[in-house]
Amino acid sequence: MSLIARIVRENGKLSLVAYPRYHLAYSSTQANEKELENDDFRVLNLRNTKEQKAQRQQVKRYPLPPSRTEQMPVGQDWGAVWPGPRTFHPAAVPLPLRQGWVPKGKAPPSKVANTELMKIPNFLHLTPPVIKRQAEALRKFCTPWPEQLKTEEDIEKHFPVSVISSDYCHALPTIRNPLARIVSVKLNLSRLPLDGHAKDKFLRLVGDRYDPETGVLTIVTDRCPLRKQNYDYAMYLITALFHESWVKEPWEDLKMEADMEVYIWENNKSKEMAEKIVQWGQKGNDKPTIAPSFKEAVEQLINEGENDTTLTKYKDEVIKLLQLSKTNEDASEK
């Protein structure tokens, strides 16, 4: 830094007089040193303005009004207070509800500012008086129950097909539940006009969807995204199975007795032998009649296998067929 200095003799002393710029900088440095001596911490003030202390305004607090639950009358219309599904609000429910986990020995949190009560779905809009009022409003759109359908047998006779579906109430971002698309269709197989061949083929096509104890066919569809589509698909399957069961291929006429999947009494020699035994010793060419129970006993014995039930049933039917008395049976056993 170039300085222009000149020596001035004043009263026999030499003095160094600097340029005015240097003089100003020197004087400001002295002022800052004085401030450091007075204050412990120097504050950088860029605008070079004086600090102004703002006076705090006193906030006027008003008394809080009483809660809405304390002002509700006892006989109020709850349907107007809570008309539809909504998030829980403690000021609108005049009930001392508590929800939340706490350690043993302490009471659960109250309903005020309780997130556990706000995040779960509630049914406060479905109280019995509200449900009764809604039912009365919907009654004018309903038809009376038919008088002819008094028993379950009458219902099954006129409506042989049962369709089962489910609706779900859940707390999810979407109103569609994936399980709501599933449709189950139940049908009693005896209501379909099927002969022996068609019924046998129908049962082979449906597999384990048929319950032999109840005689009910159950088809469950869940491949399509919508319930209506799954219902149409189930109806299509039943229609296709029915028509396919009546189709008879040419090779099916070539099946022999050894090719049969089940034992059929009428197609085997057991029927001829039973007729000869019954006709033995009788005069005339009349064809003997054999009880259907004997036929069922023989088929059940061969198809299901030998066990106590099938053997006992077959034994009783043979005794009836040979017209043996109980006394002769006991004597033969001794």
Side-chain angles (χ1 to χ4, degrees), residues 36-48:
L36 287 174
E37 294 177 358
N38 297 333
D39 299 332
D40 295 338
F41 184 80
R42 185 174 62 176
V43 180
L44 178 62
N45 192 353
L46 299 177
R47 296 187 178 182
N48 198 14

Side-chain angles (χ1 to χ4, degrees), residues 298-315:
V298 176
E299 291 181 349
Q300 186 177 4
L301 176 64
I302 299 178
N303 292 329
E304 298 181 6
E306 296 182 359
N307 52 53
D308 295 340
T309 304
T310 57
L311 290 174
T312 303
K313 186 176 181 180
Y314 178 70
K315 173 186 174 182

